[in-house]
Amino acid sequence: MKILVVEDDELSAYALTAVLTNQNYAVEVATDGDAAWDLIQTYDYDLILLDVMLPKLDGISLCRKIRSSGLQMPILLLTGRDSSHDKAIGLDAGADDYVVKPFDQEELIARIRALLRRQGVTSQPVLEYGKLRLDPSSCEVIYAGNLLPLTPKEFALLELFLRNNHRVFSCDMILEHLWSYEDTPQEEAVRTHIKGLRHKLKAVGANSDLVETVYGIGYRLKQLEEGVGNREQGENSSPLHPSPCPSASSPSQVPNLQSQQQALMAVAEIWQQFQGRVDEQVKVLEEAIAILNQNSLNAELLSLAAREAHTLAGSLGTFGLLLGSKLARNIELLLSSGQSLSKFEISNLASWVKLLRREIEGNDAAAISALPTPQVLTTVTQPPQNHPHAGAGGDEEVRGDEGAGEDREVNSPLSLNLQAINELELRVAERTAELITLNRQLQSQLDERQQTQEELRFSEARFARILDIADDAIISINGFQSITLFNQGAEKIFGYSAQEVIGQDLDVLLPQRFFQMHRQHVVDFGQSPNIARRMGERREIYGRRKDGTEFTAEASISKIDIGKEIFYTVILRDITERKQIERMKDEFVSVVSHELRTPLTSIHGSLGMLASGLLPTDSEQGKRLLQIATESTERLVRLINDILDIERIESGKAKMEPEICNIVDLIAQAVNVMQPLADKAGVTLSISALSGQVLADCDRIIQTLTNLLSNAIKFSSAGSTVWLGAQQQGDEVLLRVKDNGRGIPSDKLESIFERFQQVDSSDSRNHDGTGLGLAICKSIMQQHGGRIWVESVLGQGSTFYLTLPLFGTFQNPDLENSSNIRVNKS
């Protein structure tokens, strides 16, 4: 049987290895959770002996990981944590048993045997096969009444065959079960042990082939003849099969006693080997006390001291130093409390550490080794006063009489007095630790309650603030659909104050035609299993404001069952503005699609005619088609450029580049650009300039003026005049573009500055416009902190005005903070 011991305390790991090895188990050791998991994934173990407080991966997490991976080997948790809560956590994590340090070694071995029996087919502790009888508890093998003196590996081999008497084991399988990975020999070692086992069986009258060879496969027990039984027995055998188990006074128990003596002497040697390590651990505790007495705080040292005390509590109990184990446990509890210690508590700690030092130095290895064997046994293995002894055969618990141990020293009056003093000091220390722990628990509970109340108050205040700052309406109603909560967002949307609507029916917020539908929706939702739902998924829902106006909305509803009453919470959002934006977007997409398709259709048709060969390209008709395609292409390019331009300006991506611009130069450059178009249309341009300067993006101002001049020329008849002038008004300059064209209706004076808005829908076709020129002008003026508007009389013409701050009074931050200001001398 192979056991994995997972223990980070080297002293305890060595002691456990000595005890288990003496019981003929193959033992491997892992010192942290990650290393243990690597071994478990690589090798098969019959049992895992697992500490809880481990580095890297703690024992509880490792236990869960083992079980979640589907592995079913028994797990025995061996730890210093002794509370019922810790035990429950360990067993719920998948452990099969839970043993608290310090432990009795005999009980531990019995619990291990009980767990291993659970894994097998049978449940009794004594194995029988014909005349052969193997008792795992005493490590005895008897054939026909004769005791077989087997080596540990021979015993383990025979036990493996008896527990699996129908199974064939190869050499590799035997090595896997009976040797650790650190000392795995070659297959020849298996054959040598098989040969030795057969020889000893033959010497007591058994057939030499009781362990038979299955050629090419491995070894197994030879099957018994019909009528010859094999079984496993407990202590109470039937009269037909009397149990040869010897009594307590039987001479046959001598080998078992010798085996125990060997194990305990091995443990004593381990104590001698690691006593220096124990001394270092106590020194850590003494250093921590010194730091505390100096009113200093070294969190790292105190944490280390608490871990060392935890380790000592387990290891000292393993070696029989029960007083030291209990003292270490009390020290651990106080150091790991996580709170600052009072002078009284520090004084108690100092006393306990002194007692711990005296207990350890009073049990030095030399004194232990010098004692006769019976005294060594009682010194090293004295069980805890409150810990039950192990018995035989019990699967769930192994119990026995209490208080069976001997005192470690001769019962002289002096030793009895010292023992009484030690026990009294221990009781005082334990009671003090209990009172301190209880006081800390009460204080911790009080602090937690106060913290919970404070968190509740904070949560309520935070919830109230969240409700207040939410732009959406948050409304709660009870089962009668009466309003119980009305936040500030709801007040803004509906126009009611909370005081006006709380206690009223929800109908006050709905159009009358929707009363019944909404009431039924709430009733249906209350009866459904859903706890939340969107309202109006298939149709729009409407709300009604205090002034009677209606608005479109979207809403979600949730419910909470408090006792026998259901409360509903509605989160509602006014989507009127969003609907308007969506309509504008749809209109924009529709207009852009139309404006793009028109020139593309002309281009496609013209080029298609030419490509078909029906019209020669050098004919008059061919040239006309090419001209149409060219003009349509130019129009398409202008449209795309205008769309991109206005988007860049309004999104802020087209940054203005300010410079000091001369007003006369701006007007002159705009006129120079538009003069060819005026000449072609037979229109005269008349200008009147103002001497002055503005801080602006000169190119954008010229773009604005040329757009206005272009529109004026397009809508003016031949022989007419277009005027461009400038004059000062206070701290601004007023630029004016005037024509004698057809004029603009009064209802269009504002809308023509929006995108794709024109006086006549035919203007884009007849006058080659994109419908974006005035929108671009408006955006440019807004970027400069100026204004633009129009005055017009139908049939008499229009005058467009725009204003710019004179240099020195300009307030636009983009222009004012620019470092690229330059004087335009064009």
Side-chain angles (χ1 to χ4, degrees), residues 630-647:
T630 302
E631 291 174 351
S632 297
T633 302
E634 292 173 350
R635 178 183 173 190
L636 184 61
V637 170
R638 286 197 303 272
L639 176 62
I640 293 174
N641 287 337
D642 284 349
I643 292 174
L644 294 176
D645 207 8
I646 192 171
E647 289 296 334

Side-chain angles (χ1 to χ4, degrees), residues 245-265:
C245 183
S247 64
S249 59
S250 172
S252 64
Q253 199 177 25
V254 173
N256 187 32
L257 178 61
Q258 291 175 347
S259 176
Q260 294 181 18
Q261 290 173 345
Q262 292 173 358
L264 296 172
M265 290 302 295

Side-chain angles (χ1 to χ4, degrees), residues 353-372:
V353 173
K354 288 180 181 178
L355 285 173
L356 180 61
R357 169 69 74 182
R358 188 171 69 187
E359 171 74 1
I360 293 172
E361 290 179 348
N363 290 276
D364 58 86
I368 293 176
S369 301
L371 292 175

Side-chain angles (χ1 to χ4, degrees), residues 242-285:
S243 173
C245 183
S247 64
S249 59
S250 172
S252 64
Q253 199 177 25
V254 173
N256 187 32
L257 178 61
Q258 291 175 347
S259 176
Q260 294 181 18
Q261 290 173 345
Q262 292 173 358
L264 296 172
M265 290 302 295
V267 172
E269 291 177 2
I270 292 171
W271 170 258
Q272 183 176 9
Q273 179 182 354
F274 285 93
Q275 195 169 8
R277 165 63 180 148
V278 175
D279 181 68
E280 292 177 359
Q281 291 175 304
V282 177
K283 284 182 179 178
V284 172
L285 300 180

